[in-house]
Amino acid sequence: MELIRLENVKKIYKTGEVITKAVDGIDFTVNKGEFALIIGASGAGKTTVLNILGGMDTATSGAVFVDGKDISKWNKKQLTGYRRDDIGFVFQFYNLVPNLTATENVELALQISKDPLDAEEVLKDVGLGHRLNNFPAQLSGGEQQRVSIARALAMNPEILFFDEPTSALDPELTGEILKVIRNLAAEHMTMVIVTHEMNFAKNVADKIIFMDNGYIVEQGTPDEVFGSQNTRMKEFLGKLSNES
Ligand code: ADP
């Protein structure tokens, strides 16, 4: 079943005289239970797409269907309800409240949730059963990010979005987060993630969307996208393998 459908979505920023086509007419779909990854160089438009999907930004034109409803036509109030009730969002930085424990940080978010899960149970699910009463400063970066994933999950969302959830973390801690996301994928949580973790992308994603300059250059299964003969795709993957 199709849960997300973008149709000819554009986002154009005007700053004074400067016009930036951050997203220049893109189409893709994500099915329920699917795990989709958006990859591409910096400035390609990935975060803009995720912010539009997350109801934090609005498209300049085009349609953004989520569960059959075109959220691009919604007003602020409707988008507030959507962000609160329908989706979860995990950012690069965890934004935990420093003087609340892990459990309290999750519970705080649940105060605005219609149908929340149990904070402690969700923290246990992300491997933090032994850290429930710790403050953020007593947790590693990976643990703090797991609290923020628990915070999003406990709202019982239909879709989870992640914007570079591991890019502030050491490689060692990155593994912890990828494991949590891999487990969620195995449970068929519908997820869309922007990431630079290419091995992860290859092994776990159902669908990969490669963006360049506001366009989708390639999309498909990991095999299709990583095997693509497209010049931009090959350049992007070549650069990554030179970096590592
Ligand atoms: P990515 O996530 O792939 O790095 P972004 O979606 O952040 O790319 O940005 C795409 C393009 O849109 C970039 O050229 C960026 O500078 C521009 N952009 C993003 N947000 C804004 C904004 N609020 N105002 C003007 N330009 C923006």
Side-chain angles (χ1 to χ4, degrees):
M1 189 194 114
E2 196 178 275
L3 203 51
I4 295 172
R5 166 179 287 273
L6 271 69
E7 287 177 359
N8 199 17
V9 169
K10 296 188 184 182
K11 179 70 190 186
I12 296 161
Y13 292 108
K14 286 193 190 121
T15 319
E17 298 290 293
V18 183
I19 291 178
T20 308
K21 292 180 176 175
V23 178
D24 203 6
I26 65 165
D27 302 80
F28 69 84
T29 61
V30 179
N31 287 334
K32 192 171 168 61
E34 214 170 33
F35 182 28
L37 264 90
I38 306 177
I39 61 171
S42 180
K46 307 180 298 295
T47 295
T48 304
V49 172
L50 211 61
N51 287 345
I52 290 171
L53 275 170
M56 290 179 292
D57 204 346
T58 47
T60 308
S61 63
V64 182
F65 291 99
V66 179
D67 210 3
K69 293 165 213 122
D70 185 0
I71 68 165
S72 72
K73 306 286 181 292
W74 282 2
N75 61 29
K76 277 195 175 147
K77 193 171 169 214
Q78 287 171 305
L79 287 174
T80 303
Y82 169 73
R83 289 194 301 269
R84 201 179 49 203
D85 300 328
D86 300 331
I87 61 149
F89 216 107
V90 176
F91 301 91
Q92 181 178 349
F93 298 103
Y94 340 115
N95 298 318
L96 302 179
V97 182
N99 62 343
L100 297 182
T101 64
T103 305
E104 289 165 347
N105 262 284
V106 176
E107 283 172 348
L108 180 68
L110 299 188
Q111 290 180 11
I112 57 163
S113 175
K114 255 194 337 209
D115 185 23
L117 304 176
D118 182 77
E120 289 193 359
E121 287 305 316
V122 180
L123 281 162
K124 284 178 194 162
D125 287 346
V126 298
L128 290 176
H130 59 307
R131 293 285 192 218
L132 298 177
N133 298 315
N134 284 100
F135 293 99
Q138 299 168 324
L139 302 172
S140 71
E143 287 171 335
Q144 290 185 57
Q145 186 59 304
R146 280 189 278 156
V147 174
S148 88
I149 294 174
R151 181 177 55 191
L153 274 175
M155 311 267 294
N156 206 0
E158 184 152 23
I159 310 169
L160 260 188
F161 298 106
F162 296 82
D163 192 2
E164 299 196 29
T166 59
S167 46
L169 298 172
D170 295 340
E172 209 180 312
L173 300 179
T174 294
E176 290 177 18
I177 301 304
L178 297 183
K179 193 172 151 204
V180 169
I181 299 173
R182 189 189 292 261
N183 289 343
L184 290 170
E187 291 165 16
H188 301 293
M189 180 80 197
T190 310
M191 296 186 285
V192 182
I193 176 170
V194 170
T195 184
H196 293 290
E197 297 292 331
M198 289 306 135
N199 277 331
F200 183 67
K202 249 187 222 165
N203 295 327
V204 188
D206 296 308
K207 171 176 273 181
I208 297 190
I209 295 155
F210 171 61
M211 287 190 69
D212 188 40
N213 254 325
Y215 297 104
I216 294 176
V217 174
E218 281 290 349
Q219 60 174 315
T221 64
D223 281 350
E224 285 164 356
V225 170
F226 283 95
S228 161
Q229 294 306 307
N230 178 281
T231 314
R232 280 300 296 136
M233 186 75 227
K234 279 166 67 177
E235 265 173 26
F236 176 72
L237 294 174
K239 254 187 220 147
L240 288 178
S241 58
N242 290 339
E243 278 170 15
S244 56

